[in-house]
Short mmCIF file of all heavy atoms in Angstrom, two decimals:
data_model
loop_
_atom_site.label_atom_id
_atom_site.label_comp_id
_atom_site.label_asym_id
_atom_site.label_seq_id
_atom_site.Cartn_x
_atom_site.Cartn_y
_atom_site.Cartn_z
N ALA A 410 163.74 124.91 15.80
CA ALA A 410 162.40 125.48 15.67
C ALA A 410 162.02 126.25 16.93
O ALA A 410 161.45 127.35 16.84
CB ALA A 410 161.39 124.37 15.39
N VAL A 411 162.30 125.69 18.10
CA VAL A 411 162.00 126.40 19.35
C VAL A 411 162.80 127.68 19.45
O VAL A 411 162.28 128.74 19.86
CB VAL A 411 162.27 125.49 20.56
CG1 VAL A 411 162.16 126.27 21.87
CG2 VAL A 411 161.31 124.31 20.58
N TYR A 412 164.07 127.63 19.08
CA TYR A 412 164.92 128.82 19.15
C TYR A 412 164.40 129.93 18.24
O TYR A 412 164.27 131.08 18.66
CB TYR A 412 166.35 128.43 18.75
CG TYR A 412 167.26 129.60 18.54
CD1 TYR A 412 167.71 130.36 19.61
CD2 TYR A 412 167.68 129.96 17.26
CE1 TYR A 412 168.56 131.45 19.42
CE2 TYR A 412 168.53 131.03 17.05
CZ TYR A 412 168.96 131.78 18.14
OH TYR A 412 169.78 132.85 17.94
N LEU A 413 164.08 129.60 17.01
CA LEU A 413 163.60 130.62 16.07
C LEU A 413 162.26 131.19 16.50
O LEU A 413 162.06 132.42 16.50
CB LEU A 413 163.50 130.01 14.67
CG LEU A 413 163.06 130.97 13.55
CD1 LEU A 413 164.07 132.09 13.39
CD2 LEU A 413 162.91 130.21 12.23
N LEU A 414 161.34 130.33 16.89
CA LEU A 414 160.02 130.81 17.28
C LEU A 414 160.07 131.59 18.59
O LEU A 414 159.31 132.54 18.78
CB LEU A 414 159.06 129.62 17.41
CG LEU A 414 158.62 128.98 16.10
CD1 LEU A 414 157.78 127.74 16.36
CD2 LEU A 414 157.85 129.96 15.24
N HIS A 415 160.95 131.19 19.50
CA HIS A 415 161.08 131.95 20.76
C HIS A 415 161.53 133.37 20.48
O HIS A 415 161.02 134.33 21.09
CB HIS A 415 162.07 131.24 21.68
CG HIS A 415 162.37 132.00 22.94
ND1 HIS A 415 163.38 132.94 23.00
CD2 HIS A 415 161.78 132.00 24.16
CE1 HIS A 415 163.41 133.46 24.22
NE2 HIS A 415 162.44 132.92 24.94
N ASN A 416 162.50 133.54 19.58
CA ASN A 416 162.96 134.89 19.24
C ASN A 416 161.83 135.73 18.66
O ASN A 416 161.75 136.94 18.91
CB ASN A 416 164.11 134.81 18.24
CG ASN A 416 165.39 134.32 18.88
OD1 ASN A 416 165.49 134.23 20.09
ND2 ASN A 416 166.36 133.97 18.06
N PHE A 417 160.98 135.12 17.88
CA PHE A 417 159.87 135.84 17.27
C PHE A 417 158.80 136.17 18.31
O PHE A 417 158.34 137.31 18.42
CB PHE A 417 159.27 134.98 16.15
CG PHE A 417 158.46 135.77 15.16
CD1 PHE A 417 158.98 136.15 13.95
CD2 PHE A 417 157.15 136.13 15.44
CE1 PHE A 417 158.23 136.87 13.04
CE2 PHE A 417 156.39 136.85 14.54
CZ PHE A 417 156.94 137.23 13.33
N ILE A 418 158.39 135.17 19.08
CA ILE A 418 157.28 135.35 20.02
C ILE A 418 157.67 136.29 21.16
O ILE A 418 156.85 137.09 21.62
CB ILE A 418 156.83 133.98 20.58
CG1 ILE A 418 156.23 133.14 19.45
CG2 ILE A 418 155.81 134.15 21.70
CD1 ILE A 418 155.86 131.73 19.87
N SER A 419 158.92 136.23 21.61
CA SER A 419 159.33 137.06 22.74
C SER A 419 159.33 138.54 22.40
O SER A 419 159.33 139.38 23.31
CB SER A 419 160.74 136.64 23.21
OG SER A 419 161.69 136.85 22.18
N GLN A 420 159.33 138.90 21.12
CA GLN A 420 159.34 140.30 20.72
C GLN A 420 157.95 140.82 20.37
O GLN A 420 157.82 141.95 19.94
CB GLN A 420 160.29 140.50 19.54
CG GLN A 420 161.74 140.27 19.90
CD GLN A 420 162.69 140.57 18.76
OE1 GLN A 420 162.27 141.09 17.74
NE2 GLN A 420 163.95 140.24 18.94
N LEU A 421 156.93 140.02 20.58
CA LEU A 421 155.58 140.53 20.42
C LEU A 421 155.30 141.56 21.51
O LEU A 421 155.82 141.46 22.62
CB LEU A 421 154.57 139.39 20.49
CG LEU A 421 154.66 138.33 19.38
CD1 LEU A 421 153.63 137.23 19.61
CD2 LEU A 421 154.48 138.95 18.02
N PRO A 422 154.50 142.58 21.23
CA PRO A 422 154.26 143.63 22.23
C PRO A 422 153.68 143.09 23.52
O PRO A 422 152.68 142.36 23.52
CB PRO A 422 153.26 144.55 21.52
CG PRO A 422 153.44 144.27 20.06
CD PRO A 422 153.80 142.83 19.96
N GLY A 423 154.33 143.43 24.64
CA GLY A 423 153.83 142.99 25.94
C GLY A 423 152.47 143.59 26.26
O GLY A 423 151.66 142.98 26.96
N GLU A 424 152.22 144.82 25.76
CA GLU A 424 150.92 145.45 26.01
C GLU A 424 149.78 144.63 25.42
O GLU A 424 148.68 144.59 25.97
CB GLU A 424 150.90 146.86 25.42
CG GLU A 424 151.90 147.82 26.05
CD GLU A 424 153.30 147.67 25.49
OE1 GLU A 424 153.48 146.81 24.58
OE2 GLU A 424 154.21 148.37 25.96
N LEU A 425 150.06 143.97 24.30
CA LEU A 425 149.03 143.14 23.67
C LEU A 425 148.66 141.96 24.56
O LEU A 425 147.48 141.63 24.72
CB LEU A 425 149.56 142.65 22.31
CG LEU A 425 148.57 141.94 21.39
CD1 LEU A 425 147.45 142.88 20.98
CD2 LEU A 425 149.30 141.42 20.15
N MET A 426 149.65 141.35 25.16
CA MET A 426 149.40 140.22 26.05
C MET A 426 148.68 140.67 27.31
O MET A 426 147.74 140.01 27.79
CB MET A 426 150.73 139.53 26.41
CG MET A 426 151.55 139.10 25.22
SD MET A 426 150.70 137.85 24.23
CE MET A 426 151.88 137.62 22.91
N GLU A 427 149.12 141.80 27.87
CA GLU A 427 148.49 142.32 29.09
C GLU A 427 147.03 142.68 28.84
O GLU A 427 146.16 142.42 29.69
CB GLU A 427 149.26 143.53 29.61
CG GLU A 427 150.65 143.22 30.13
CD GLU A 427 150.61 142.28 31.32
OE1 GLU A 427 149.61 142.30 32.08
OE2 GLU A 427 151.58 141.51 31.50
N SER A 428 146.75 143.28 27.71
CA SER A 428 145.36 143.63 27.39
C SER A 428 144.49 142.39 27.29
O SER A 428 143.34 142.36 27.75
CB SER A 428 145.30 144.42 26.08
OG SER A 428 146.04 145.61 26.17
N ALA A 429 145.06 141.33 26.70
CA ALA A 429 144.30 140.08 26.59
C ALA A 429 144.05 139.48 27.96
O ALA A 429 142.95 138.96 28.23
CB ALA A 429 145.06 139.10 25.70
N ARG A 430 145.03 139.54 28.86
CA ARG A 430 144.84 138.99 30.20
C ARG A 430 143.80 139.80 30.98
O ARG A 430 143.00 139.25 31.74
CB ARG A 430 146.17 138.97 30.95
CG ARG A 430 147.19 138.01 30.37
CD ARG A 430 148.36 137.81 31.30
NE ARG A 430 149.40 137.02 30.69
CZ ARG A 430 150.49 137.52 30.12
NH1 ARG A 430 150.66 138.85 30.09
NH2 ARG A 430 151.40 136.74 29.59
N VAL A 431 143.83 141.13 30.79
CA VAL A 431 142.84 141.97 31.47
C VAL A 431 141.43 141.61 31.01
O VAL A 431 140.48 141.62 31.81
CB VAL A 431 143.14 143.46 31.20
CG1 VAL A 431 142.00 144.34 31.68
CG2 VAL A 431 144.45 143.86 31.89
N ASP A 432 141.30 141.25 29.76
CA ASP A 432 139.99 140.86 29.23
C ASP A 432 139.60 139.43 29.61
O ASP A 432 138.55 138.94 29.19
CB ASP A 432 139.98 140.99 27.71
CG ASP A 432 140.06 142.44 27.26
OD1 ASP A 432 139.70 143.32 28.07
OD2 ASP A 432 140.50 142.70 26.12
N GLY A 433 140.46 138.78 30.39
CA GLY A 433 140.14 137.44 30.86
C GLY A 433 140.61 136.31 29.98
O GLY A 433 140.21 135.15 30.19
N ALA A 434 141.47 136.59 29.03
CA ALA A 434 141.96 135.53 28.14
C ALA A 434 142.99 134.66 28.86
O ALA A 434 143.86 135.17 29.57
CB ALA A 434 142.57 136.14 26.88
N THR A 435 142.88 133.37 28.70
CA THR A 435 143.84 132.44 29.25
C THR A 435 144.99 132.24 28.27
O THR A 435 144.93 132.68 27.12
CB THR A 435 143.17 131.09 29.55
OG1 THR A 435 142.64 130.56 28.33
CG2 THR A 435 142.05 131.26 30.57
N HIS A 436 146.03 131.54 28.74
CA HIS A 436 147.17 131.30 27.85
C HIS A 436 146.77 130.54 26.58
O HIS A 436 147.22 130.90 25.49
CB HIS A 436 148.27 130.55 28.60
CG HIS A 436 149.06 131.42 29.53
ND1 HIS A 436 149.82 132.48 29.08
CD2 HIS A 436 149.20 131.39 30.88
CE1 HIS A 436 150.40 133.07 30.11
NE2 HIS A 436 150.04 132.43 31.22
N PRO A 437 145.95 129.48 26.66
CA PRO A 437 145.55 128.82 25.40
C PRO A 437 144.84 129.75 24.44
O PRO A 437 145.08 129.69 23.22
CB PRO A 437 144.63 127.69 25.89
CG PRO A 437 145.08 127.41 27.28
CD PRO A 437 145.49 128.74 27.84
N LYS A 438 143.97 130.62 24.96
CA LYS A 438 143.25 131.53 24.08
C LYS A 438 144.18 132.58 23.49
O LYS A 438 144.06 132.93 22.30
CB LYS A 438 142.10 132.20 24.83
CG LYS A 438 141.22 133.05 23.93
CD LYS A 438 140.00 133.58 24.65
CE LYS A 438 139.11 134.38 23.72
NZ LYS A 438 137.92 134.92 24.42
N ILE A 439 145.11 133.10 24.29
CA ILE A 439 146.07 134.07 23.78
C ILE A 439 146.91 133.45 22.68
O ILE A 439 147.15 134.06 21.63
CB ILE A 439 146.96 134.59 24.93
CG1 ILE A 439 146.14 135.41 25.93
CG2 ILE A 439 148.12 135.42 24.38
CD1 ILE A 439 146.92 135.84 27.15
N PHE A 440 147.36 132.22 22.91
CA PHE A 440 148.19 131.55 21.92
C PHE A 440 147.41 131.31 20.63
O PHE A 440 147.93 131.53 19.53
CB PHE A 440 148.68 130.22 22.49
CG PHE A 440 149.47 129.39 21.52
CD1 PHE A 440 150.79 129.71 21.24
CD2 PHE A 440 148.90 128.31 20.87
CE1 PHE A 440 151.52 128.96 20.33
CE2 PHE A 440 149.61 127.56 19.97
CZ PHE A 440 150.93 127.88 19.70
N ARG A 441 146.16 130.90 20.75
CA ARG A 441 145.38 130.53 19.58
C ARG A 441 144.91 131.74 18.78
O ARG A 441 144.95 131.75 17.55
CB ARG A 441 144.17 129.70 20.02
CG ARG A 441 143.35 129.15 18.86
CD ARG A 441 142.20 128.30 19.34
NE ARG A 441 141.20 129.07 20.07
CZ ARG A 441 141.05 129.05 21.38
NH1 ARG A 441 141.84 128.30 22.14
NH2 ARG A 441 140.11 129.78 21.98
N THR A 442 144.48 132.80 19.46
CA THR A 442 143.86 133.92 18.77
C THR A 442 144.80 135.09 18.49
O THR A 442 144.53 135.89 17.59
CB THR A 442 142.67 134.44 19.60
OG1 THR A 442 143.14 134.88 20.88
CG2 THR A 442 141.63 133.34 19.79
N ILE A 443 145.89 135.20 19.25
CA ILE A 443 146.79 136.34 19.08
C ILE A 443 148.15 135.92 18.53
O ILE A 443 148.63 136.44 17.53
CB ILE A 443 146.98 137.09 20.42
CG1 ILE A 443 145.64 137.67 20.89
CG2 ILE A 443 148.02 138.19 20.28
CD1 ILE A 443 145.72 138.36 22.23
N VAL A 444 148.77 134.94 19.19
CA VAL A 444 150.15 134.58 18.83
C VAL A 444 150.22 133.87 17.49
O VAL A 444 151.03 134.23 16.63
CB VAL A 444 150.77 133.73 19.95
CG1 VAL A 444 152.17 133.25 19.54
CG2 VAL A 444 150.86 134.54 21.23
N LEU A 445 149.40 132.86 17.29
CA LEU A 445 149.48 132.08 16.05
C LEU A 445 149.34 132.92 14.78
O LEU A 445 150.13 132.76 13.84
CB LEU A 445 148.44 130.96 16.06
CG LEU A 445 148.82 129.66 16.76
CD1 LEU A 445 147.70 128.63 16.63
CD2 LEU A 445 150.12 129.09 16.20
N PRO A 446 148.37 133.84 14.69
CA PRO A 446 148.30 134.66 13.47
C PRO A 446 149.53 135.54 13.26
O PRO A 446 149.91 135.81 12.11
CB PRO A 446 147.05 135.52 13.69
CG PRO A 446 146.21 134.73 14.66
CD PRO A 446 147.20 134.07 15.56
N LEU A 447 150.18 135.96 14.35
CA LEU A 447 151.32 136.86 14.23
C LEU A 447 152.62 136.14 13.87
O LEU A 447 153.55 136.77 13.36
CB LEU A 447 151.51 137.65 15.53
CG LEU A 447 150.40 138.64 15.89
CD1 LEU A 447 150.66 139.27 17.25
CD2 LEU A 447 150.29 139.71 14.82
N ILE A 448 152.71 134.85 14.17
CA ILE A 448 153.95 134.13 13.91
C ILE A 448 153.87 133.30 12.62
O ILE A 448 154.72 132.43 12.39
CB ILE A 448 154.33 133.22 15.09
CG1 ILE A 448 153.28 132.12 15.28
CG2 ILE A 448 154.51 134.01 16.36
CD1 ILE A 448 153.68 131.09 16.33
N THR A 449 152.90 133.59 11.79
CA THR A 449 152.76 132.85 10.53
C THR A 449 154.03 132.89 9.67
O THR A 449 154.43 131.86 9.11
CB THR A 449 151.57 133.39 9.72
OG1 THR A 449 150.38 133.23 10.50
CG2 THR A 449 151.41 132.64 8.42
N PRO A 450 154.72 134.03 9.51
CA PRO A 450 155.95 134.02 8.71
C PRO A 450 157.01 133.07 9.27
O PRO A 450 157.68 132.37 8.50
CB PRO A 450 156.43 135.48 8.77
CG PRO A 450 155.19 136.27 9.05
CD PRO A 450 154.37 135.40 9.94
N ALA A 451 157.17 133.07 10.58
CA ALA A 451 158.17 132.17 11.17
C ALA A 451 157.77 130.72 10.99
O ALA A 451 158.62 129.86 10.72
CB ALA A 451 158.33 132.49 12.66
#
Side-chain angles (χ1 to χ4, degrees):
V411 171
Y412 169 72
L413 182 62
L414 288 175
H415 175 271
N416 287 349
F417 200 100
I418 294 176
S419 63
Q420 293 184 8
L421 296 178
E424 296 82 1
L425 189 63
M426 305 297 178
E427 292 298 330
S428 299
R430 293 192 187 99
V431 169
D432 292 337
T435 60
H436 283 297
K438 186 174 182 180
I439 293 175
F440 176 78
R441 186 178 66 255
T442 60
I443 297 177
V444 175
L445 275 182
L447 294 176
I448 64 173
T449 300

